[in-house]
Amino acid sequence: QVQLVESGGGLVQAGGSLRLSCAASGRTISRLGWFRQAPGKEREFVAAISWSGVNTDYADSVKGRFTISRDNAKNTVYLQMNSLKPEDTAVYYCAADRSYGLAQWGIEYDYWGQGTQVTVSS
């Protein structure tokens, strides 16, 4: 089993920044991603990163503002969020899988964190 624990969420004004972290423990993981779910909406893909960290993928809505990175020595993945907008308000979830490659669909991840709230005020 893999346990994922997110941290770093909070309340920030529009235009501000937050950095989310997700620490993984348990079995070795390769694929990592971030998803989010706003009230009344379905969960959506935010970003993904390959095992090496060389390959990344982003939702169009966050490209140029968010950056995903990972530190395999610490088994941790990060999501740096800049120029935040009120529409970024959501619960953010870290997701992991033992498969390689990038993935935008939640079904391609076996392990999920408990989520961390991000609220952006206007």
Side-chain angles (χ1 to χ4, degrees):
Q1 286 293 328
V2 174
Q3 292 78 43
L4 303 173
V5 179
E6 301 105 331
S7 61
L11 174 64
V12 64
Q13 289 188 334
S17 298
L18 282 174
R19 188 194 196 201
L20 305 183
S21 299
C22 174
S25 61
R27 306 178 76 178
T28 301
I29 54 174
S30 300
R31 175 181 296 160
L32 284 167
W34 287 97
F35 290 76
R36 66 187 182 186
Q37 187 167 20
K41 295 187 177 181
E42 294 188 351
R43 182 179 63 192
E44 64 175 1
F45 168 76
V46 176
I49 190 167
S50 62
W51 182 88
S52 66
V54 171
N55 297 309
T56 57
D57 192 17
Y58 296 93
D60 288 342
S61 59
V62 306
K63 279 182 182 177
R65 300 188 298 122
F66 290 11
T67 302
I68 188 172
S69 61
R70 66 189 292 169
D71 184 340
N72 288 339
K74 296 181 179 180
N75 283 337
T76 300
V77 62
Y78 305 96
L79 185 67
Q80 178 66 45
M81 306 185 293
N82 298 329
S83 301
L84 283 161
K85 305 175 182 179
E87 51 262 45
D88 293 318
T89 296
V91 176
Y92 283 71
Y93 296 92
C94 172
D97 195 82
R98 302 188 70 199
S99 302
Y100 287 90
L102 302 174
Q104 291 190 358
W105 300 101
I107 196 172
E108 296 180 275
Y109 294 86
D110 282 341
Y111 307 103
W112 294 82
Q114 82 287 352
T116 185
Q117 177 71 47
V118 171
T119 303
V120 184
S121 63
S122 57

